[in-house]
Amino acid sequence: MNVLIAGAGRLGTQIAQVLSAARNEVTLIDSDDDRVAALQDRLPGVLLVAGDACEPTRLEHAGALTADLVLATTGDDEDNLVIGLLAKRQFSVPRVAARVNDADNAWLFDARWGIDVAVPTATPLISLIEEATGATDTVALLRLSKAGVDVIETAITPQSRAVGQALGEVSLPEGTVVATIVRDGQPTVPDPAIRLRAGDELLLVSHSATEREIHTAFQ
């Protein structure tokens, strides 16, 4: 799947990490040159583009013509609407999702603006992946039948036996890797030496593990 993400904030960066780990072609565009430069080492599998996604030429340069999915995740509703409209009307992107930052603007995020999926800030990642599930501590966020992998999220609670353990000490099911650790709202590189804390959220990619197996490994 070819994915174009507009907005390299926390949400856009987190989604880019997950989809890249699941072997998708991911491009992330942001108007902040310094932010794009800072992400070069953190997102080795993601193509980073500096530019304003509201400008048709920059959106085309980032790959809108070949994108299967465009995600507008900036912190500005007006920008997300413009990006969605350009993606759908000018570049005929099959699927467009956009983040709604202000609930009062939610009524605008529909097909008239080229938006297929409007994403409330309360549930951004799940809705963007179109795999909304029940609110449990371990949920399947994304099922990629073509790639044959699942992306699974698990939260470390104060009762989790993994609290205080180094990530490398946790025995994971075969064919499973940690894509990122979200700590204090920020995605973190999953270094094996990092010690897990209550409140950490882990995103894992697996070819065969079930949600129960992931739960057992950490809880």
Side-chain angles (χ1 to χ4, degrees):
M1 183 166 58
N2 193 328
V3 183
L4 173 58
I5 303 171
R10 181 183 64 83
L11 175 60
T13 302
Q14 181 178 337
I15 294 171
Q17 285 182 308
V18 172
L19 294 181
S20 176
R23 300 188 298 184
N24 294 281
E25 295 183 12
V26 180
T27 300
L28 183 59
I29 180 172
D30 194 275
S31 58
D32 189 326
D33 293 357
D34 292 336
R35 179 181 293 173
V36 170
L39 289 172
Q40 293 289 345
D41 293 334
R42 290 173 53 192
L43 299 173
V46 175
L47 177 61
L48 293 162
V49 177
D52 186 351
C54 292
E55 297 180 3
T57 54
R58 298 306 297 168
L59 200 60
E60 181 176 356
H61 175 71
L65 285 171
T66 57
D68 301 304
L69 172 66
V70 165
L71 308 176
T73 66
T74 80
D76 189 302
D77 284 344
E78 289 82 0
D79 286 353
N80 290 341
L81 287 169
V82 170
I83 293 166
L85 187 64
L86 286 173
K88 182 66 70 174
R89 301 288 174 82
Q90 183 156 341
F91 299 107
S92 301
V93 177
R95 197 71 172 167
V96 177
R99 179 183 186 179
V100 183
N101 296 281
D102 185 340
D104 290 340
N105 296 328
W107 65 277
L108 289 166
F109 286 72
D110 58 20
R112 293 171 299 175
W113 281 90
I115 309 299
D116 297 303
V117 179
V119 184
T121 53
T123 54
L125 186 56
I126 294 175
S127 295
L128 279 170
I129 302 303
E130 299 181 88
E131 193 73 20
T133 64
T136 60
D137 65 332
T138 304
V139 295
L141 293 177
L142 176 64
R143 302 194 183 280
L144 297 171
S145 58
K146 292 183 179 180
V149 298
D150 288 345
V151 176
I152 299 172
E153 179 185 47
T154 191
I156 304 299
T157 68
Q159 293 75 35
S160 300
R161 60 175 178 168
V163 170
Q165 287 188 354
L167 180 61
E169 296 173 350
V170 178
S171 180
L172 296 176
E174 185 176 355
T176 301
V177 297
V178 178
T180 187
I181 299 173
V182 180
R183 175 172 290 174
D184 298 326
Q186 296 296 324
T188 304
V189 176
D191 189 299
I194 191 171
R195 294 201 172 272
L196 299 173
R197 304 176 186 171
D200 286 349
E201 297 180 12
L202 284 75
L203 298 174
L204 303 97
V205 179
S206 181
H207 287 282
S208 57
T210 65
E211 296 169 35
R212 181 179 295 276
E213 290 173 325
I214 297 297
H215 176 91
T216 300
F218 290 94
Q219 307 303 329

